[in-house]
Amino acid sequence: MRTLKFLLQKEFRQIFRDKTLLRAMLLAPLVQLMLLPLASNYEIKNIYLAVVDHDHSTYSQKMVSKIVSSGYFKLAGNNASYNDAYQLIEQDKADIILEIPAGFERNLVREGSQKLFIAVNAINGTKALVGGGYLSSILGDYNNDIRLQWMQPDRFNAAPQIDIASSNWYNPLMNYKTFMVPGILVLLVTMMGSMMCALNIVKEKEIGTIEQINVTPVKKYQFILGKLIPFWVLCMVLFSVGMLLAKLVYGIGVAGNIGVLYLFLSVYLIAVLGLGLLISTYAETQQQAMSISFFFMMIFNLLGGLFTPIESMPVWAQWIAHANPVSYFISVMRMVILKGSGLHDIRYHILIMLVFGVVINTWAVMNYRKRA
Amino acid sequence: MQETVIKTEKLTKRFGDFIAANELTFEVYKGEIFGFLGANGAGKTTAMRMLCGLSKPSSGSATIAGFDVYKQPESIKKNIGYMSQKFSLYEDLTVTENIRLYAGIYGLSDKDIKEKSEALLHQLGLENEAKKLVKELPLGWRQKLSFSVAVIHKPKIVFLDEPTGGVDPVTRRQFWDLIYDASDKGVTVFVTTHYMDEAEYCNRISIMVDGYIRALDTPAKLKEQYSAASMDEVFYGLAREAKRKAD
Amino acid sequence: MKQLLTFIRKEFYHVFRDRKTLLMLFGLPIAQIILFGFALTNEIKNAQIVVSDYSKDIATTQIINKIEASQYFDVAKSLPSHKQIEAAFKEGKIKMAVIFPENFYYDLTHQNKAQIQIIADASDINAATTLTNYVTAIVMDYQLQLVKSGTIPLQIVPEIRMLYNPEMKGEFVFIPGMMSMIMLLICVMMTSISIVREKELGTMEVLLVSPFQPLMVIFSKFVPYVIVSLINVTSILLLSWLLLHLPVKGSILLLYAESLLFIFTSLALGLLISINSKTQQTAMFISLGVTMLPTIILSGFMFPIENMPIPLQVISNIVPSKWFYIIVRSIMIKGAGFSAIWKQTLILFGMMVIILGISLKRFKIRLA
């Protein structure tokens, strides 16, 4: 116990002495936490629309003004021909072309049906889909409007309609920030924890101080605890500050019990720091440790369920996701923060994390011993 | 008869096909300064690492301070001090903090730690530098500090791996004064070195070539045996036979 | 000249003998392409949902059959209360509940109107949106079957064409983004770490006091990383062509030339960072903070720039990867020539000159 006290003293002194690093470790993630949600807005506004109106009728003009007044679209230009409009797309000045053929109004009334041509710059698939979707639904609305105007109401009602009333629980306004911020915090705490832990140990290897410790009566577990505890504390602090910022800046409160969240975090950190420890046993230089952790962090982050739902992955990727601590924490964050899930609901998550922690740390300690 | 503190019997370390240390058999007595010489790559460091419990021997036996290297490495570690060729104190801790750390690790009481660090700072004349970070000290001072820290818990044996590499002659002398001082207090000193003048300071020396111990005796007797005027000649005579490339 | 070669050889040994690092650096783009190309889709399969049918008539049965027949859902039929739905959501057992109220078919045929209620667990917005869309599409499809074609007058039928990317592949966005990420990782982070490492271990001083030009010492450090980067560019292009069927539409030579420009810009940044950091960990954090993050956030490949608040849009202009991203996208996907991207190239070149200028100046000051 006494030995551990001295080791902890040493680690904390070293951490707090390197002010540049400490600042980078705590500030960088928080700045990121502030910026990322601002940038990561999937709600798409300001879609630039180029209109090619060959009809110049009342209907076509009303339609265009309905589209523009929706707030999602901005008029990039009224072009005489499709080729002119295409130029705008080439130059990235327009995202969508709406081409209204000549005789649009006349055909609509006489023949009951008329085609419209829409061309979407689909390099950015998501944006194209969303933009095309908005445009279709506005056109649908407009279609209903003119139908209502043109026909007697009872004839219109002849077609049976199914209404879909959808309600989105836990995030009724579909606010992306409440969805992203907790997830980003998870990624940050995970990266910080595992990378710092790995680099710190490898640094002692590189400089040679670890040799000195190895010839002293310090036990492996003491040395490892001496490394894990400071970073465990640091990650706890980082997480708390992150949660505070989320509350103050984005107004994201915890629907459930925050104690449950911390309980999970404390177990989670054991697994994540163990991962750092494991990496450190395989790396001889900090550069190696860095590239190995970067590699795995990238996979963990992408398959963590933050950017795309885990349900949407192919089976092999889902298996990786199940072996990915990040995905459990992201799911727990959503459960506790947004849904207010309790200890009972996340019992399996905690259990799995415990297994992770034990397996990873045992592996790391075994591998560590081999080297010495 | 003198008390034996290190005793090895055919101690061997293999890395695959490569035999780094081959059937080393020797004894070191209490209070002795035992020099371990050899060219780079001769196997000195490997041998020393086995004795310190840092690496497991492939075969043979060894007891250090009465403890077996296979079965009781942790007990060995309590009874030895070690200073490696790489600088081994924490550069981003102050002088006092380093002393406290190692004294604490070796289980000294708070009272002991306080007394020892004061005595140590006084002995090294580092009182004014106590609160400085170690990286701000000149290399020679750091090495002396390193040594003093390695013997702070009064170990039975202290292992020094090329302790004076890159240090100026004056500081080297001072360093050896520290070694003699420790030896006078009954600490056995096991030291590897490149410097032949330092070899002369040792009570007994062994010379390793290609993983074997080729010579082992007092400096005087070795010179006599090889009819050489200096240790330099003895060493070069043996080292020339080496087939292994230095690293 | 011979000295230079000696130094370059030394650096090659360092980089190419470190198998683990090399494996990671070469493996990273491959893993990313596989993940982005095959794992990260927005198509959900077998989502656990509950369907509550309080009506049990022809219409509901038909719709539920359609829902079950699609691969999207794993349907459990039961009649849970709101409380039970909530409990299932909290445990994460289901993602959505679809509820058909009583007299569904009666309402539909007699009042021409019926309602379906969807309750989605929107704690995962992406999944909630996708699943709601699936159900909506299935219901709309059913509705169309009910209506004899031609009974609805005044139909506007939009025909949507997807330009450049008719299959709506995400690859078009991430391949160019990934190229800049990998190059930044290698040229900024790895380079600065390796320079600072020599500082930390003290070997840098040995090199700098050698009769060799200090600048050449640095230059020879760059060479292996340039080569590793170029190998990665090649492997990314090959994989995206073979695996994702995404060939380079424009000139490959131009693409390589622009990549080299970006590589040098990154190396200059790496040099600047290494001059300003004392430890490898600091170098790593600055690299992460100054290059990787802005690339992820502000280069436009993860999030559209035009959606961002104005200050961020302004800041995005000083991020080199933003310009490189536009360049690569134009060459690879639109098949644009130099005339279309000369402006971005000029900006990138200017950035390189400025960063290199600053770092060389600071480098000299340190030596003096």
Side-chain angles (χ1 to χ4, degrees):
Chain A
M1 238 12 246
R2 216 172 114 78
T3 311
L4 189 59
K5 184 190 106 188
F6 280 101
L7 288 173
L8 286 176
Q9 223 170 31
K10 159 199 170 261
E11 297 297 339
F12 276 112
R13 276 201 181 114
Q14 287 181 305
I15 290 172
F16 284 103
R17 194 146 287 159
D18 193 345
K19 290 280 179 331
T20 331
L21 189 61
L22 191 66
R23 232 175 282 141
M25 266 160 54
L26 292 176
L27 275 184
L30 297 176
V31 170
Q32 204 182 340
L33 189 66
M34 294 294 91
L35 283 185
L36 249 167
L38 283 181
S40 65
N41 196 345
Y42 287 108
E43 232 181 298
I44 293 181
K45 281 177 192 160
N46 301 339
I47 303 165
Y48 287 89
L49 180 75
V51 176
V52 186
D53 187 354
H54 296 297
D55 196 39
H56 299 291
S57 60
T58 331
Y59 271 15
S60 73
Q61 274 154 19
K62 271 191 184 162
M63 185 166 69
V64 171
S65 71
K66 182 164 175 106
I67 293 168
V68 175
S69 64
S70 71
Y72 293 109
F73 294 91
K74 284 195 173 167
L75 209 55
N78 264 309
N79 301 88
S81 73
Y82 179 79
N83 281 344
D84 288 356
Y86 190 75
Q87 286 293 318
L88 289 179
I89 291 227
E90 283 264 276
Q91 294 159 9
D92 268 339
K93 282 182 185 152
D95 301 306
I96 295 188
I97 302 173
L98 173 67
E99 191 178 21
I100 307 165
F104 171 75
E105 182 174 334
R106 194 188 60 224
N107 290 344
L108 198 59
V109 175
R110 280 198 197 151
E111 287 162 32
S113 168
Q114 170 61 42
K115 281 183 180 170
L116 268 183
F117 300 102
I118 297 169
V120 186
N121 176 358
I123 288 182
N124 186 333
T126 321
K127 197 178 167 187
L129 268 186
V130 175
Y134 286 163
L135 192 55
S136 304
S137 79
I138 294 171
L139 288 178
D141 277 358
Y142 174 74
N143 204 173
N144 275 339
D145 289 353
I146 53 170
R147 223 177 263 151
L148 274 177
Q149 272 177 16
W150 194 75
M151 302 175 52
Q152 307 94 307
D154 62 302
R155 244 187 89 195
F156 168 60
N157 270 342
Q161 269 215 326
I162 301 173
D163 243 12
I164 295 177
S166 63
S167 50
N168 293 297
W169 284 10
Y170 310 119
N171 193 355
L173 300 175
M174 298 297 255
N175 185 341
Y176 255 96
K177 288 183 182 102
T178 43
F179 167 72
M180 290 297 283
V181 172
I184 293 169
L185 189 57
V186 169
L187 300 191
L188 292 175
V189 169
T190 311
M191 282 184 53
M192 257 329 114
S194 60
M195 279 189 181
M196 290 316 302
C197 185
L199 286 176
N200 186 290
I201 299 174
V202 176
K203 184 180 178 179
E204 292 223 22
K205 267 196 199 176
E206 217 172 45
I207 299 179
T209 42
I210 206 166
E211 284 270 284
Q212 191 68 41
I213 295 287
N214 279 343
V215 292
T216 66
V218 168
K219 304 266 192 319
K220 303 283 176 222
Y221 81 86
Q222 289 171 329
F223 179 75
I224 287 170
L225 279 181
K227 289 288 178 197
L228 293 190
I229 293 173
F231 288 109
W232 189 87
V233 172
L234 223 57
C235 287
M236 280 288 190
V237 172
L238 183 64
F239 181 80
S240 309
V241 179
M243 287 299 287
L244 200 66
L245 278 181
K247 174 80 192 165
L248 293 178
V249 181
Y250 296 111
I252 300 169
V254 181
N257 185 343
I258 198 158
V260 173
L261 209 55
Y262 273 94
L263 178 69
F264 181 84
L265 177 67
S266 54
V267 179
Y268 176 77
L269 284 178
I270 296 172
V272 162
L273 295 176
L275 202 69
L277 185 68
L278 183 63
I279 292 171
S280 78
T281 63
Y282 281 100
E284 272 93 53
T285 64
Q286 292 183 68
Q287 202 178 21
Q288 260 178 18
M290 178 63 223
S291 50
I292 297 175
S293 11
F294 200 85
F295 184 87
F296 287 102
M297 279 304 131
M298 186 273 300
I299 295 178
F300 283 174
N301 289 351
L302 287 179
L303 294 181
L306 179 62
F307 303 107
T308 53
I310 291 171
E311 291 81 13
S312 71
M313 296 171 191
V315 179
W316 59 267
Q318 288 198 16
W319 276 105
I320 302 178
H322 287 313
N324 175 3
V326 175
S327 69
Y328 291 93
F329 194 16
I330 287 181
S331 133
V332 165
M333 285 287 263
R334 284 191 189 142
M335 289 169 97
V336 178
I337 291 183
L338 296 172
K339 299 193 220 172
S341 306
L343 190 58
H344 181 77
D345 298 313
I346 63 162
R347 62 193 187 279
Y348 290 118
H349 291 77
I350 294 182
L351 206 67
I352 291 168
M353 228 13 76
L354 264 177
V355 174
F356 264 113
V358 171
V359 170
I360 294 175
N361 281 291
T362 314
W363 182 2
V365 171
M366 302 242 294
N367 203 42
Y368 184 85
R369 193 171 284 153
K370 250 194 282 174
R371 307 252 141 186
Chain B
M1 192 53 211
Q2 286 153 302
E3 187 188 334
T4 304
V5 288
I6 302 178
K7 183 176 167 59
T8 72
E9 186 77 40
K10 298 193 170 174
L11 195 63
T12 303
K13 178 77 184 185
R14 286 187 206 87
F15 297 104
D17 292 338
F18 180 79
I19 303 173
N22 207 337
E23 305 203 332
L24 309 181
T25 304
F26 62 90
E27 290 183 356
V28 180
Y29 309 114
K30 185 174 160 59
E32 202 178 17
I33 301 175
F34 188 85
F36 213 56
L37 274 63
N40 286 334
K44 289 173 309 199
T45 302
T46 310
M48 188 181 262
R49 286 172 60 87
M50 282 192 284
L51 299 180
C52 296
L54 279 177
S55 101
K56 246 194 179 149
S58 310
S59 63
S61 68
T63 50
I64 314 297
F67 298 106
D68 185 80
V69 282
Y70 293 98
K71 290 178 200 143
Q72 298 157 297
E74 294 308 314
S75 305
I76 291 177
K77 286 177 182 176
K78 282 191 188 121
N79 288 288
I80 62 168
Y82 174 80
M83 178 185 165
S84 68
Q85 53 191 358
K86 274 191 184 173
F87 182 69
S88 47
L89 295 180
Y90 288 95
E91 295 197 343
D92 50 353
L93 294 181
T94 65
V95 173
T96 335
E97 286 165 358
N98 266 296
I99 298 174
R100 262 188 67 85
L101 169 65
Y102 283 105
I105 286 175
Y106 282 108
L108 270 63
S109 69
D110 285 335
K111 189 167 149 270
D112 270 0
I113 293 176
K114 199 166 176 294
E115 281 170 10
K116 287 256 180 169
S117 16
E118 274 166 19
L120 195 154
L121 290 172
H122 179 72
Q123 190 190 9
L124 296 176
L126 282 174
E127 285 107 331
N128 294 328
E129 277 76 21
K131 291 220 158 58
K132 272 194 184 168
L133 293 185
V134 163
K135 69 174 157 211
E136 291 162 8
L137 299 181
L139 181 67
W141 290 22
R142 286 193 232 169
Q143 298 296 74
K144 284 192 280 182
L145 179 63
S146 238
F147 176 78
S148 306
V149 168
V151 294
I152 196 159
H153 56 297
K154 287 208 178 133
K156 292 206 171 113
I157 310 156
V158 61
F159 290 90
L160 309 174
D161 192 2
E162 290 172 20
T164 54
V167 174
D168 67 82
V170 178
T171 315
R172 257 169 65 200
R173 271 314 284 259
Q174 295 169 346
F175 193 88
W176 274 89
D177 286 342
L178 288 174
I179 293 180
Y180 276 119
D181 193 51
S183 162
D184 286 345
K185 287 178 184 154
V187 177
T188 308
V189 180
F190 188 102
V191 56
T192 72
T193 181
H194 282 312
Y195 299 106
M196 289 308 134
D197 57 330
E198 288 188 350
E200 309 257 8
Y201 300 150
C202 299
N203 299 121
R204 284 194 307 147
I205 52 178
S206 76
I207 298 178
M208 270 188 91
V209 178
D210 286 355
Y212 293 92
I213 291 184
R214 295 296 306 273
L216 199 168
D217 218 323
T218 62
K221 283 203 180 136
L222 281 179
K223 278 186 273 189
E224 197 184 297
Q225 187 187 337
Y226 289 90
S227 48
S230 68
M231 276 312 297
D232 262 351
E233 278 181 45
V234 176
F235 184 73
Y236 286 122
L238 286 167
R240 215 175 292 135
E241 299 165 18
K243 295 192 179 62
R244 212 184 262 173
K245 245 172 106 183
D247 47 31
Chain C
M1 203 50 215
K2 204 174 159 214
Q3 269 174 320
L4 182 62
L5 284 179
T6 323
F7 270 86
I8 293 176
R9 192 179 307 132
K10 161 192 167 285
E11 297 303 333
F12 262 92
Y13 288 150
H14 277 317
V15 174
F16 284 87
R17 276 198 187 144
D18 186 352
R19 290 287 153 80
K20 283 180 196 157
T21 304
L22 221 51
L23 188 69
M24 293 299 137
L25 291 186
F26 288 138
L28 199 59
I30 299 172
Q32 278 192 328
I33 285 188
I34 292 173
L35 288 189
F36 272 115
F38 302 103
L40 302 181
T41 60
N42 274 313
E43 186 178 298
I44 298 183
K45 275 179 191 159
N46 303 324
Q48 313 271 335
I49 64 166
V50 164
V51 174
S52 316
D53 187 356
Y54 287 95
S55 186
K56 298 219 162 109
D57 52 44
I58 321 171
T60 58
T61 314
Q62 279 178 345
I63 296 176
I64 293 170
N65 281 345
K66 270 176 175 280
I67 292 177
E68 282 183 319
S70 78
Q71 303 173 339
Y72 306 131
F73 303 104
D74 195 347
V75 179
K77 282 182 220 162
S78 69
L79 303 173
S81 65
H82 269 214
K83 265 224 167 105
Q84 285 166 318
I85 293 176
E86 172 131 30
F89 276 167
K90 279 189 177 172
E91 260 196 272
K93 276 186 181 160
I94 57 164
K95 291 272 158 193
M96 191 166 77
V98 181
I99 300 160
F100 296 90
E102 279 176 12
N103 305 325
F104 183 84
Y105 185 68
Y106 182 85
D107 287 349
L108 192 64
T109 44
H110 290 78
Q111 297 175 6
N112 281 332
K113 240 185 173 132
Q115 210 185 37
I116 299 174
Q117 202 191 352
I118 295 178
I119 301 172
D121 174 357
S123 65
D124 184 343
I125 295 188
N126 291 333
T129 312
T130 313
L131 292 178
T132 308
N133 286 345
Y134 286 161
V135 176
T136 310
I138 290 171
V139 173
M140 286 301 152
D141 197 40
Y142 175 75
Q143 204 178 331
L144 271 183
Q145 281 182 1
L146 288 184
V147 181
K148 302 279 176 297
S149 56
T151 51
I152 297 182
L154 284 194
Q155 276 198 73
I156 300 175
V157 187
E159 265 194 4
I160 299 186
R161 208 169 355 137
M162 295 295 175
L163 302 173
Y164 303 113
N165 183 8
E167 287 160 64
M168 305 297 284
K169 288 186 198 160
E171 288 88 315
F172 285 78
V173 176
F174 82 80
I175 292 276
M178 202 176 77
M179 276 176 69
S180 41
M181 287 290 287
I182 299 278
M183 279 188 243
L184 285 174
L185 175 71
I186 295 169
C187 297
V188 180
M189 198 182 284
M190 291 297 145
T191 313
S192 63
I193 288 179
S194 91
I195 295 177
V196 176
R197 175 186 154 85
E198 295 226 17
K199 273 212 263 188
E200 236 178 27
L201 297 181
T203 45
M204 193 54 140
E205 288 186 12
V206 181
L207 292 181
L208 291 182
V209 296
S210 74
F212 201 48
Q213 269 263 317
L215 213 56
M216 289 294 134
V217 174
I218 298 298
F219 175 76
S220 42
K221 280 215 159 296
F222 286 173
V223 180
Y225 288 106
V226 172
I227 294 187
V228 173
S229 306
L230 285 177
I231 295 176
N232 265 325
V233 171
T234 312
S235 77
I236 292 173
L237 293 181
L238 272 177
L239 281 174
S240 65
W241 175 47
L242 295 174
L243 238 51
L244 308 177
H245 313 289
L246 181 71
V248 179
K249 266 199 184 164
S251 151
I252 290 187
L253 213 63
L254 182 62
L255 190 56
Y256 270 95
E258 298 281 356
S259 301
L260 264 180
L261 176 62
F262 186 66
I263 288 172
F264 283 119
T265 315
S266 314
L267 286 172
L269 255 175
L271 179 59
L272 189 61
I273 289 171
S274 69
I275 289 169
N276 287 308
S277 30
K278 285 198 189 97
T279 66
Q280 295 181 62
Q281 288 177 34
T282 317
M284 185 200 99
F285 268 99
I286 299 180
S287 310
L288 263 182
V290 175
T291 61
M292 299 300 239
L293 287 182
T295 301
I296 296 174
I297 303 177
L298 295 173
S299 73
F301 97 93
M302 289 280 271
F303 318 109
I305 292 177
E306 56 270 28
N307 275 355
M308 296 175 193
I310 302 292
L312 283 189
Q313 293 195 25
V314 174
I315 295 171
S316 77
N317 288 321
I318 59 165
V319 178
S321 0
K322 173 189 168 177
W323 304 105
F324 183 62
Y325 173 67
I326 297 176
I327 292 172
V328 175
R329 211 179 58 172
S330 306
I331 300 176
M332 270 190 88
I333 293 144
K334 292 191 189 170
F338 186 69
S339 58
I341 50 168
W342 66 270
K343 239 194 257 168
Q344 286 84 355
T345 310
L346 199 67
I347 293 173
L348 207 54
F349 188 77
M351 284 180 171
M352 184 194 77
V353 171
I354 292 170
I355 300 169
L356 202 61
I358 297 174
S359 41
L360 287 184
K361 208 169 165 195
R362 300 214 46 167
F363 187 66
K364 286 214 177 99
I365 291 170
R366 287 206 86 112
L367 284 180

